[in-house]
């Protein structure tokens, strides 16, 4: 196959075991297995993260998540509104208005 020939052309001759159809088949199989495993592991990431956040809040004695706290914080919301009114990106860091040029 073309992959086999390319492998032999680009791989050190000292790695004679590195270019054969068995290795290619094994690599494909392991890649498929890894993808299946990642799908299983990541299928409910959002739910698990939410639960972890709840556990963390309880452990810290907090009743409100950080995101919810920010939504309720008047000073933060006023600052974000000012930034929006100035035409900058409210999510930009360091006061550069999101255009990469620092205003300060």
């Amino acid at each position: 196959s073309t992959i086999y020939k390319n492998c032999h052309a680009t791989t050190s001759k000292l790695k004679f075991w590195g270019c054969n159809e068995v290795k290619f088949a094994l690599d494909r199989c392991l890649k498929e297995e890894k993808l299946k495993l990642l799908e299983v592991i990541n299928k409910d990431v959002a739910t698990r993260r939410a639960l972890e956040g709840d556990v963390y809040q309880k452990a810290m004695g907090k009743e409100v998540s950080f995101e919810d706290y920010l939504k309720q914080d008047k000073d933060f919301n006023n600052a974000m509104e000012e930034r929006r009114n100035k035409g900058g990106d409210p999510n930009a860091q360091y006061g550069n208005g999101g255009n990469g040029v620092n205003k300060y």
Side-chain angles (χ1 to χ4, degrees):
S1 80
T2 306
I3 296 172
Y4 186 70
K5 290 176 186 175
N6 186 34
C7 183
H8 274 291
T10 60
T11 303
S12 168
K13 301 304 179 227
L14 297 176
K15 290 186 175 183
F16 60 89
W17 66 89
C19 297
N20 61 50
E21 294 300 325
V22 174
K23 181 198 179 298
F24 296 142
L26 181 62
D27 287 347
R28 279 191 298 272
C29 179
L30 291 174
K31 184 175 181 178
E32 289 172 12
E33 288 296 318
K34 182 179 178 180
L35 291 174
K36 288 178 188 175
L37 180 62
L38 287 173
E39 286 177 12
V40 170
I41 289 172
N42 294 324
K43 74 178 180 180
D44 58 341
V45 168
T47 305
R48 283 187 289 155
R49 285 202 177 149
L51 291 174
E52 288 171 359
D54 291 343
V55 170
Y56 180 73
Q57 286 175 347
K58 289 177 185 173
M60 298 301 291
K62 306 290 181 187
E63 298 292 326
V64 177
S65 72
F66 183 68
E67 290 82 12
D68 291 337
Y69 172 80
L70 286 179
K71 288 177 187 174
Q72 298 171 5
D73 185 353
K74 291 178 185 173
D75 292 334
F76 175 78
N77 288 320
N78 288 339
M80 293 298 282
E81 189 61 34
E82 281 181 29
R83 191 174 247 187
R84 275 189 214 96
N85 290 338
K86 288 182 181 178
D89 179 1
N91 297 316
Q93 293 183 0
Y94 311 117
N96 66 11
N99 60 9
V101 178
N102 197 334
K103 293 180 185 176
Y104 304 106

